[in-house]
Amino acid sequence: MRRILLSTAALIALTYGSAAQANTTIELQRFFGACDADYGNVTDVSSAVGECGIITALINKFEADNPDINVNVTTVEWPGYDQLNAQLASGAAPDVVSMHYSAISDYQSRGLIEPIDEVLASQGISPDSFTDAARGGVTKEGQIFGLPFDNWTMLFHVNLNLMKEAGLLNADGTPILPTSADELIAQGKQFKEKTGKPYLVQILANETASYARILYTLLQQQKADFFADPTKIKLNTPEAKAAVELIKRTKDEGITTLGLDYAAAVSAFANGDGGISVNGTWLIGDYVAQAEKAGTALSGGYTVYPVPQLFPAQDSTYADGHSWVMPKKDRSPEQTAAIAKLFKFLAENDFQWARTGHLPAVKTVFDMPEFKSLPHRENIAEIAETGRSLPAAVQRQFAIQDIIGDEIGAAVNGDKSIEDALSGAESRINDLLANI
Amino acid sequence: MAKTYRRSQWSHGLFILPYLSAFALLLVFPLFWGIWLSLHKVDLFGPGRFVGLANYVRVFADPVFLQALRNTIVFVIVSVPSLVALGLFLALALNRTTRATSFFRGLFFSSSVLSVTIVTLIWRFVFIPGDGLMSVIFKHLGAEPIHFLSTSGWSLFSIGVATVWWCLGLPMMLFLAALQQIPADLYEAAALDNASPWRVLTRITLPSIARTIMLVTIIQIVMQFQLFGQAQLMTNGGPNGTSRPLVMYIYEVGFVRWDIGKGAAASQILFLIILCAAMAQYVVSTRKTEN
């Protein structure tokens, strides 16, 4: 009996001891997918690949380095704002949430997230350590509302094996990319004729984001100030018409894949079903990994470039970014300190995140030899200058994106005239913004 | 005697109090709260301001709402009769006690236990261009594949096929249960009269299960008006909003645009439509039974 009592006491003491060691818990909610089966126990971040793998390994490493902090991760379906809204409405928000720069103004203007200037200062993180684009993305009314993690854009992911077949390679092995709208169509036709496959792999079904990002890019390249007033969009313009006409021409001339949603478009390019995938920075790491494998459609034949300048006014690409924000809620000083430590860790490891293909948010990463030696980064470095986002004061950017995707998709698929689609998009967006 | 009877009624009422409380808390209160919200300009995160019927005016002036309403009505008109007819056909075919029929009953019901995510994933494999089953079949036959999920008309049709496949189990089981309640002597009498199978079906079987047909129809009308998950996951309402149902419109307005008042107004309209459809069906069927 005495032995049983002693053993029980020892067990309780042990349990209490380990609980006391991991005594601060923070709830982290993020998108980027779930991959615990592959990376659930990985703490060697350098061995992880892709957004999901790297962020999972980063959190594992942080927990291993800080045994007194427990990070409870909840993975949400991209972009996860519906779930966050419900949590905020019911007073059950997590401590740290992944958020696009383009969504921050919605939450900041409603007082739902906290400024983190002091949190950053407590760990000696200077706002000046971030790139202008990253700092601009998280700064609202002079305060910082999120830890910037990256900048991303849409890119031209190129299958060099098919481009060679199409006769679209320079002597040095780099792809011949279009420098105007007409060249895009001409090269697309040449590609189709030589390979029998579509030149572009685009997400034209079941998704709205892709249409909006390409439209913004083509409008920026024409220097169209379509959000001169952040509460009103102007889309009944010759520039918008020219942009949609170009997207539609890629369909009408038969040089693009049709009917592919996001997942199908990602795998179609990996399977060699088209020459150039118009998709985001986040796929670079995955496609590079496939190109390094023998026997895949991309083996030894993958590269990536910014969306080329197709209109003469200026070189520009629509850019956004990911950040980590703190929803407004009661926290203990220990939890706030733990979050500050986590932010410092993520900022210090921004290079690891940049391996996904995203552009770093921390300036010094650009100068790291490891970053410079990452494949294809020199091709896309210019995005640091050419990447542009929507004006920071524009609210409901995700809802706007949905409307644009709806209407432009209808025009591209021939269900509406381009003029009707642009008028429809303009009136729907302005109704939305007028009723905030 | 009458007094005792009345007194016992009051005390019996206490037995339903737990259910009544849950009903009032989870259904009646949200219903009235929804009506209250629909009269306010409000988001998810704080008190709003009273705007009267302005949200209803905005909803009826919104072409996207009218399109979603039309889509939903078309979907219900096509999917409910399909579910009733197919459910009845399967029940008639499987209304025997053999090993094969037991197996097929289980097989046809099995789709009902799947979540909407799995159902849409399966049908995505069928309809997606490129490597999808339909695409492969079309290519094999030398025909140009149809982009089922991104072509106007076909997208709602694809959602309908997935929905009928998913929801068929319940009508089949309800019809089977009803068929097994029909007294065997009616069929024996029909056999003695040498009635044809068609006559047996139309004069004995269908009249005997008329109330179940009504029940299945009402259940399906109520369920199919609430179409959401399949459309959200298979087509995202596209292309050009041609497969956007009303619930998806409510979700987009309320949760993506944070316009809870307008979303609540659209919800009340959907509630009224479902109520009217179910009541109309009920009234028509009751009159028939009385006649």
Side-chain angles (χ1 to χ4, degrees):
Chain A
M1 184 65 189
R2 197 175 157 196
R3 188 177 290 175
I4 293 171
L5 280 173
L6 280 173
S7 312
T8 311
L11 194 68
I12 291 169
L14 268 175
T15 315
Y16 182 77
S18 58
Q21 207 177 21
N23 56 6
T24 306
T25 298
I26 50 177
E27 304 288 336
L28 181 143
Q29 186 163 295
R30 63 166 179 82
F31 41 85
F32 304 127
C35 50
D36 282 349
D38 294 326
Y39 293 101
N41 297 312
V42 173
T43 52
D44 176 12
V45 184
S46 61
S47 69
V49 179
E51 281 182 316
C52 184
I54 292 174
I55 190 62
T56 306
L58 275 171
I59 301 296
N60 291 345
K61 177 84 167 72
F62 175 75
E63 283 188 305
D65 291 353
N66 297 275
D68 56 330
I69 299 172
N70 179 32
V71 183
N72 276 351
V73 178
T74 304
T75 309
V76 292
E77 175 78 8
W78 184 94
Y81 299 130
D82 303 341
Q83 190 164 333
L84 176 63
N85 294 346
Q87 289 167 317
L88 286 164
S90 59
D95 293 300
V96 180
V97 183
S98 57
M99 188 173 281
H100 294 89
Y101 299 161
S102 54
I104 288 180
S105 57
D106 288 351
Y107 294 88
Q108 177 268 334
S109 62
R110 200 69 182 76
L112 298 167
I113 53 175
E114 300 193 19
I116 62 163
D117 303 75
E118 286 177 18
V119 176
L120 296 181
S122 70
Q123 287 289 325
I125 306 170
S126 164
D128 294 336
S129 61
F130 302 117
T131 62
D132 292 347
R135 201 173 59 241
V138 295
T139 305
K140 309 286 165 189
E141 296 171 1
Q143 287 183 299
I144 293 182
F145 281 87
L147 174 81
F149 206 31
D150 61 46
N151 272 108
W152 56 257
T153 64
M154 297 296 267
L155 299 168
F156 266 28
H157 299 269
V158 185
N159 182 330
L160 291 172
N161 300 329
L162 287 174
M163 291 293 270
K164 187 177 180 186
E165 212 179 301
L168 288 170
L169 279 193
N170 291 308
D172 62 357
T174 55
I176 299 170
L177 294 175
T179 56
S180 68
D182 288 335
E183 261 188 41
L184 177 84
I185 302 298
Q187 290 181 11
K189 283 180 177 171
Q190 181 182 331
F191 186 94
K192 181 94 192 267
E193 203 180 289
K194 295 272 176 61
T195 65
K197 295 183 176 183
Y199 176 60
L200 298 173
V201 179
Q202 296 190 92
I203 312 158
L204 297 184
N206 203 1
E207 202 196 74
T208 53
S210 176
Y211 282 111
R213 292 167 189 160
I214 294 299
L215 178 73
Y216 294 157
T217 297
L218 298 180
L219 286 171
Q220 288 171 353
Q221 291 190 354
Q222 297 173 83
K223 277 196 172 172
D225 198 1
F226 52 102
F227 259 124
D229 173 357
T231 61
K232 265 189 188 154
I233 195 168
K234 268 178 82 176
L235 286 176
N236 272 316
T237 59
E239 291 87 357
K241 194 177 171 204
V244 181
E245 272 173 353
L246 178 58
I247 304 172
K248 189 167 168 17
R249 270 180 80 193
T250 64
K251 186 213 169 211
D252 295 345
E253 302 280 1
I255 63 168
T256 182
T257 53
L258 296 172
L260 299 186
D261 61 12
Y262 175 81
V266 171
S267 56
F269 179 71
N271 294 337
D273 293 342
I276 294 174
S277 171
V278 188
N279 215 322
T281 44
W282 51 88
L283 288 168
I284 295 178
D286 289 316
Y287 284 151
V288 165
Q290 290 194 33
E292 285 166 358
K293 277 188 209 158
T296 70
L298 297 177
S299 292
Y302 167 75
T303 190
V304 62
Y305 285 87
V307 175
Q309 185 181 347
L310 301 172
F311 289 93
Q314 69 175 350
D315 194 3
S316 186
T317 302
Y318 169 71
D320 196 351
H322 300 120
S323 66
W324 298 98
V325 303
M326 290 172 64
K328 197 162 267 182
K329 65 182 280 193
D330 290 333
R331 292 184 187 82
S332 66
E334 291 79 18
Q335 281 179 315
T336 307
I339 293 169
K341 266 189 179 177
L342 175 67
F343 282 180
K344 186 174 173 64
F345 175 83
L346 291 173
E348 282 175 350
N349 286 279
D350 202 38
F351 159 71
Q352 294 293 348
W353 184 244
R355 291 197 297 110
T356 56
H358 294 309
L359 291 172
V362 176
K363 275 184 200 166
T364 50
V365 176
F366 281 96
D367 300 325
M368 288 170 70
E370 297 97 310
F371 177 75
K372 285 180 178 167
S373 64
L374 285 174
H376 317 303
R377 293 315 191 273
E378 71 281 7
N379 296 353
I380 59 168
E382 67 171 73
I383 290 170
E385 277 98 52
T386 60
R388 288 178 181 84
S389 55
L390 296 189
V394 177
Q395 292 190 37
R396 304 290 187 275
Q397 291 190 27
F398 270 73
I400 291 171
Q401 175 178 287
D402 285 346
I403 294 172
I404 287 180
D406 245 17
E407 297 288 343
I408 305 306
V412 171
N413 289 316
D415 296 323
K416 265 184 183 178
S417 71
I418 292 174
E419 290 80 4
D420 285 352
L422 289 170
S423 297
E426 185 177 285
S427 64
R428 284 174 66 189
I429 292 167
N430 288 341
D431 176 62
L432 161 74
L433 293 174
N435 285 289
I436 287 178
Chain B
M1 186 66 189
K3 198 180 169 188
T4 317
Y5 175 72
R6 273 199 302 275
R7 206 166 48 222
S8 74
Q9 279 239 312
W10 277 106
S11 62
H12 289 170
L14 288 175
F15 286 102
I16 60 160
L17 197 62
Y19 169 75
L20 213 57
S21 311
F23 178 76
L25 190 72
L26 300 176
L27 285 166
V28 180
F29 172 65
L31 176 67
F32 283 99
W33 196 14
I35 295 170
W36 178 251
L37 284 173
S38 73
L39 303 173
H40 287 75
K41 173 83 198 113
V42 60
D43 65 14
L44 282 163
F45 312 111
R49 115 187 105 79
F50 185 77
V51 292
L53 295 174
N55 285 325
Y56 290 90
V57 174
R58 283 177 61 214
V59 165
F60 281 114
D62 188 346
V64 181
F65 169 79
L66 299 175
Q67 185 191 34
L69 179 63
R70 199 167 49 244
N71 294 340
T72 312
I73 291 171
V74 168
F75 183 80
V76 171
I77 287 174
V78 176
S79 68
V80 172
S82 306
L83 280 162
V84 173
L86 277 172
L88 185 60
F89 172 77
L90 286 177
L92 288 168
L94 300 175
N95 189 25
R96 294 178 190 88
T97 44
T98 65
R99 271 193 184 175
T101 53
S102 301
F103 170 75
F104 281 113
R105 281 179 202 174
L107 187 71
F108 287 120
F109 191 74
S110 61
S111 62
S112 304
V113 302
L114 300 175
S115 76
V116 67
T117 319
I118 306 295
V119 171
T120 51
L121 199 63
I122 292 168
W123 283 97
R124 204 177 151 272
F125 288 142
V126 174
F127 289 126
I128 201 79
D131 301 329
L133 178 67
M134 292 306 289
S135 187
V136 170
I137 292 172
F138 272 65
K139 279 179 200 162
H140 192 70
L141 296 173
E144 188 64 28
I146 296 171
H147 296 135
F148 284 97
L149 302 179
S150 57
T151 308
S152 296
W154 285 114
S155 56
L156 196 60
F157 167 82
S158 309
I159 294 169
V161 172
T163 304
V164 169
W165 181 82
W166 185 32
C167 299
L168 196 55
L170 181 66
M172 182 191 75
M173 282 300 178
L174 288 172
F175 284 132
L176 266 172
L179 288 174
Q180 285 166 17
Q181 299 294 316
I182 303 173
D185 49 1
L186 287 177
Y187 290 108
E188 282 168 17
L192 285 173
D193 288 346
N194 205 19
S196 67
W198 176 251
R199 208 166 170 80
V200 171
L201 176 72
T202 54
R203 295 299 170 93
I204 297 176
T205 309
L206 291 183
S208 302
I209 61 166
R211 295 180 76 85
T212 308
I213 294 175
M214 184 195 76
L215 174 76
V216 169
T217 308
I218 292 177
I219 290 175
Q220 290 306 325
I221 286 175
V222 172
M223 276 176 66
Q224 301 315 329
F225 260 114
Q226 297 175 63
L227 166 71
F228 175 58
Q230 304 94 297
Q232 167 86 347
L233 294 167
M234 287 175 73
T235 64
N236 202 17
N240 192 22
T242 50
S243 63
R244 179 189 284 113
L246 265 184
V247 179
M248 192 168 164
Y249 171 85
I250 294 165
Y251 155 76
E252 286 176 355
V253 170
F255 289 90
V256 181
R257 296 178 197 167
W258 301 13
D259 200 345
I260 288 292
K262 190 179 176 190
S267 302
Q268 303 315 314
I269 295 164
L270 175 63
F271 172 69
L272 277 179
I273 292 169
I274 294 177
L275 193 68
C276 290
M279 289 306 289
Q281 183 70 25
Y282 179 77
V283 167
V284 169
S285 313
T286 315
R287 270 189 196 159
K288 266 188 190 165
T289 316
E290 279 168 5
N291 289 341

PDB file of all heavy atoms in Angstrom, chain A residues 361-376:
ATOM      1  N   ALA A 361      10.604  38.906 -46.253  1.00  0.00           N
ATOM      2  CA  ALA A 361      10.140  40.167 -45.677  1.00  0.00           C
ATOM      3  C   ALA A 361      11.278  40.852 -44.932  1.00  0.00           C
ATOM      4  O   ALA A 361      11.228  42.046 -44.665  1.00  0.00           O
ATOM      5  CB  ALA A 361       8.980  39.900 -44.723  1.00  0.00           C
ATOM      6  N   VAL A 362      12.302  40.069 -44.561  1.00  0.00           N
ATOM      7  CA  VAL A 362      13.433  40.621 -43.807  1.00  0.00           C
ATOM      8  C   VAL A 362      14.551  40.977 -44.795  1.00  0.00           C
ATOM      9  O   VAL A 362      14.997  40.134 -45.584  1.00  0.00           O
ATOM     10  CB  VAL A 362      13.927  39.588 -42.767  1.00  0.00           C
ATOM     11  CG1 VAL A 362      15.166  40.098 -42.041  1.00  0.00           C
ATOM     12  CG2 VAL A 362      12.817  39.280 -41.765  1.00  0.00           C
ATOM     13  N   LYS A 363      14.955  42.259 -44.734  1.00  0.00           N
ATOM     14  CA  LYS A 363      15.917  42.789 -45.729  1.00  0.00           C
ATOM     15  C   LYS A 363      17.189  41.967 -45.831  1.00  0.00           C
ATOM     16  O   LYS A 363      17.676  41.667 -46.914  1.00  0.00           O
ATOM     17  CB  LYS A 363      16.305  44.219 -45.324  1.00  0.00           C
ATOM     18  CG  LYS A 363      15.381  45.295 -45.791  1.00  0.00           C
ATOM     19  CD  LYS A 363      16.000  46.635 -45.371  1.00  0.00           C
ATOM     20  CE  LYS A 363      14.987  47.751 -45.335  1.00  0.00           C
ATOM     21  NZ  LYS A 363      15.488  48.926 -44.625  1.00  0.00           N
ATOM     22  N   THR A 364      17.741  41.587 -44.652  1.00  0.00           N
ATOM     23  CA  THR A 364      19.070  40.959 -44.655  1.00  0.00           C
ATOM     24  C   THR A 364      19.085  39.618 -45.377  1.00  0.00           C
ATOM     25  O   THR A 364      20.147  39.163 -45.802  1.00  0.00           O
ATOM     26  CB  THR A 364      19.562  40.749 -43.203  1.00  0.00           C
ATOM     27  OG1 THR A 364      18.529  40.103 -42.469  1.00  0.00           O
ATOM     28  CG2 THR A 364      19.914  42.070 -42.545  1.00  0.00           C
ATOM     29  N   VAL A 365      17.905  39.001 -45.505  1.00  0.00           N
ATOM     30  CA  VAL A 365      17.869  37.694 -46.181  1.00  0.00           C
ATOM     31  C   VAL A 365      18.316  37.832 -47.629  1.00  0.00           C
ATOM     32  O   VAL A 365      18.989  36.946 -48.176  1.00  0.00           O
ATOM     33  CB  VAL A 365      16.445  37.082 -46.098  1.00  0.00           C
ATOM     34  CG1 VAL A 365      16.361  35.776 -46.883  1.00  0.00           C
ATOM     35  CG2 VAL A 365      16.037  36.848 -44.655  1.00  0.00           C
ATOM     36  N   PHE A 366      17.993  38.984 -48.251  1.00  0.00           N
ATOM     37  CA  PHE A 366      18.372  39.184 -49.656  1.00  0.00           C
ATOM     38  C   PHE A 366      19.881  39.107 -49.839  1.00  0.00           C
ATOM     39  O   PHE A 366      20.369  38.748 -50.906  1.00  0.00           O
ATOM     40  CB  PHE A 366      17.848  40.542 -50.159  1.00  0.00           C
ATOM     41  CG  PHE A 366      16.389  40.525 -50.508  1.00  0.00           C
ATOM     42  CD1 PHE A 366      15.440  40.955 -49.592  1.00  0.00           C
ATOM     43  CD2 PHE A 366      15.958  40.060 -51.742  1.00  0.00           C
ATOM     44  CE1 PHE A 366      14.085  40.945 -49.906  1.00  0.00           C
ATOM     45  CE2 PHE A 366      14.600  40.040 -52.069  1.00  0.00           C
ATOM     46  CZ  PHE A 366      13.665  40.482 -51.142  1.00  0.00           C
ATOM     47  N   ASP A 367      20.631  39.485 -48.782  1.00  0.00           N
ATOM     48  CA  ASP A 367      22.099  39.498 -48.903  1.00  0.00           C
ATOM     49  C   ASP A 367      22.736  38.178 -48.483  1.00  0.00           C
ATOM     50  O   ASP A 367      23.954  38.019 -48.595  1.00  0.00           O
ATOM     51  CB  ASP A 367      22.673  40.632 -48.028  1.00  0.00           C
ATOM     52  CG  ASP A 367      22.129  41.980 -48.463  1.00  0.00           C
ATOM     53  OD1 ASP A 367      21.925  42.154 -49.683  1.00  0.00           O
ATOM     54  OD2 ASP A 367      21.879  42.842 -47.587  1.00  0.00           O
ATOM     55  N   MET A 368      21.957  37.253 -47.964  1.00  0.00           N
ATOM     56  CA  MET A 368      22.531  35.981 -47.503  1.00  0.00           C
ATOM     57  C   MET A 368      22.992  35.144 -48.696  1.00  0.00           C
ATOM     58  O   MET A 368      22.243  34.982 -49.668  1.00  0.00           O
ATOM     59  CB  MET A 368      21.492  35.179 -46.698  1.00  0.00           C
ATOM     60  CG  MET A 368      21.185  35.757 -45.323  1.00  0.00           C
ATOM     61  SD  MET A 368      19.755  34.950 -44.559  1.00  0.00           S
ATOM     62  CE  MET A 368      20.451  33.340 -44.230  1.00  0.00           C
ATOM     63  N   PRO A 369      24.206  34.609 -48.621  1.00  0.00           N
ATOM     64  CA  PRO A 369      24.674  33.761 -49.727  1.00  0.00           C
ATOM     65  C   PRO A 369      23.749  32.574 -49.972  1.00  0.00           C
ATOM     66  O   PRO A 369      23.523  32.186 -51.116  1.00  0.00           O
ATOM     67  CB  PRO A 369      26.047  33.265 -49.245  1.00  0.00           C
ATOM     68  CG  PRO A 369      26.405  34.098 -48.066  1.00  0.00           C
ATOM     69  CD  PRO A 369      25.183  34.729 -47.537  1.00  0.00           C
ATOM     70  N   GLU A 370      23.175  32.041 -48.869  1.00  0.00           N
ATOM     71  CA  GLU A 370      22.264  30.895 -49.023  1.00  0.00           C
ATOM     72  C   GLU A 370      21.049  31.292 -49.867  1.00  0.00           C
ATOM     73  O   GLU A 370      20.572  30.513 -50.689  1.00  0.00           O
ATOM     74  CB  GLU A 370      21.741  30.412 -47.659  1.00  0.00           C
ATOM     75  CG  GLU A 370      22.786  29.901 -46.718  1.00  0.00           C
ATOM     76  CD  GLU A 370      23.201  30.984 -45.725  1.00  0.00           C
ATOM     77  OE1 GLU A 370      23.516  32.106 -46.174  1.00  0.00           O
ATOM     78  OE2 GLU A 370      23.205  30.718 -44.511  1.00  0.00           O
ATOM     79  N   PHE A 371      20.549  32.516 -49.651  1.00  0.00           N
ATOM     80  CA  PHE A 371      19.378  32.958 -50.418  1.00  0.00           C
ATOM     81  C   PHE A 371      19.764  33.175 -51.878  1.00  0.00           C
ATOM     82  O   PHE A 371      19.044  32.752 -52.786  1.00  0.00           O
ATOM     83  CB  PHE A 371      18.795  34.246 -49.830  1.00  0.00           C
ATOM     84  CG  PHE A 371      17.633  34.773 -50.630  1.00  0.00           C
ATOM     85  CD1 PHE A 371      16.390  34.155 -50.563  1.00  0.00           C
ATOM     86  CD2 PHE A 371      17.782  35.865 -51.473  1.00  0.00           C
ATOM     87  CE1 PHE A 371      15.321  34.609 -51.315  1.00  0.00           C
ATOM     88  CE2 PHE A 371      16.705  36.325 -52.233  1.00  0.00           C
ATOM     89  CZ  PHE A 371      15.483  35.702 -52.148  1.00  0.00           C
ATOM     90  N   LYS A 372      20.951  33.821 -52.046  1.00  0.00           N
ATOM     91  CA  LYS A 372      21.374  34.112 -53.426  1.00  0.00           C
ATOM     92  C   LYS A 372      21.591  32.830 -54.222  1.00  0.00           C
ATOM     93  O   LYS A 372      21.454  32.811 -55.446  1.00  0.00           O
ATOM     94  CB  LYS A 372      22.658  34.941 -53.409  1.00  0.00           C
ATOM     95  CG  LYS A 372      22.400  36.389 -53.029  1.00  0.00           C
ATOM     96  CD  LYS A 372      23.687  37.172 -53.024  1.00  0.00           C
ATOM     97  CE  LYS A 372      23.424  38.632 -52.705  1.00  0.00           C
ATOM     98  NZ  LYS A 372      24.664  39.349 -52.392  1.00  0.00           N
ATOM     99  N   SER A 373      21.974  31.761 -53.505  1.00  0.00           N
ATOM    100  CA  SER A 373      22.236  30.516 -54.235  1.00  0.00           C
ATOM    101  C   SER A 373      20.970  29.677 -54.447  1.00  0.00           C
ATOM    102  O   SER A 373      21.026  28.632 -55.073  1.00  0.00           O
ATOM    103  CB  SER A 373      23.286  29.681 -53.471  1.00  0.00           C
ATOM    104  OG  SER A 373      22.747  29.301 -52.219  1.00  0.00           O
ATOM    105  N   LEU A 374      19.825  30.143 -53.916  1.00  0.00           N
ATOM    106  CA  LEU A 374      18.583  29.395 -54.174  1.00  0.00           C
ATOM    107  C   LEU A 374      18.263  29.482 -55.669  1.00  0.00           C
ATOM    108  O   LEU A 374      18.479  30.533 -56.289  1.00  0.00           O
ATOM    109  CB  LEU A 374      17.420  29.991 -53.377  1.00  0.00           C
ATOM    110  CG  LEU A 374      17.391  29.701 -51.877  1.00  0.00           C
ATOM    111  CD1 LEU A 374      16.259  30.494 -51.214  1.00  0.00           C
ATOM    112  CD2 LEU A 374      17.228  28.227 -51.597  1.00  0.00           C
ATOM    113  N   PRO A 375      17.727  28.402 -56.238  1.00  0.00           N
ATOM    114  CA  PRO A 375      17.495  28.405 -57.682  1.00  0.00           C
ATOM    115  C   PRO A 375      16.509  29.485 -58.127  1.00  0.00           C
ATOM    116  O   PRO A 375      15.490  29.681 -57.462  1.00  0.00           O
ATOM    117  CB  PRO A 375      16.897  27.007 -57.956  1.00  0.00           C
ATOM    118  CG  PRO A 375      16.951  26.251 -56.691  1.00  0.00           C
ATOM    119  CD  PRO A 375      17.323  27.160 -55.582  1.00  0.00           C
ATOM    120  N   HIS A 376      16.839  30.124 -59.223  1.00  0.00           N
ATOM    121  CA  HIS A 376      15.955  31.071 -59.936  1.00  0.00           C
ATOM    122  C   HIS A 376      15.660  32.378 -59.203  1.00  0.00           C
ATOM    123  O   HIS A 376      14.896  33.186 -59.711  1.00  0.00           O
ATOM    124  CB  HIS A 376      14.611  30.404 -60.298  1.00  0.00           C
ATOM    125  CG  HIS A 376      14.750  29.021 -60.825  1.00  0.00           C
ATOM    126  ND1 HIS A 376      15.511  28.721 -61.926  1.00  0.00           N
ATOM    127  CD2 HIS A 376      14.240  27.849 -60.377  1.00  0.00           C
ATOM    128  CE1 HIS A 376      15.463  27.416 -62.158  1.00  0.00           C
ATOM    129  NE2 HIS A 376      14.707  26.867 -61.224  1.00  0.00           N
TER     130      HIS A 376
END
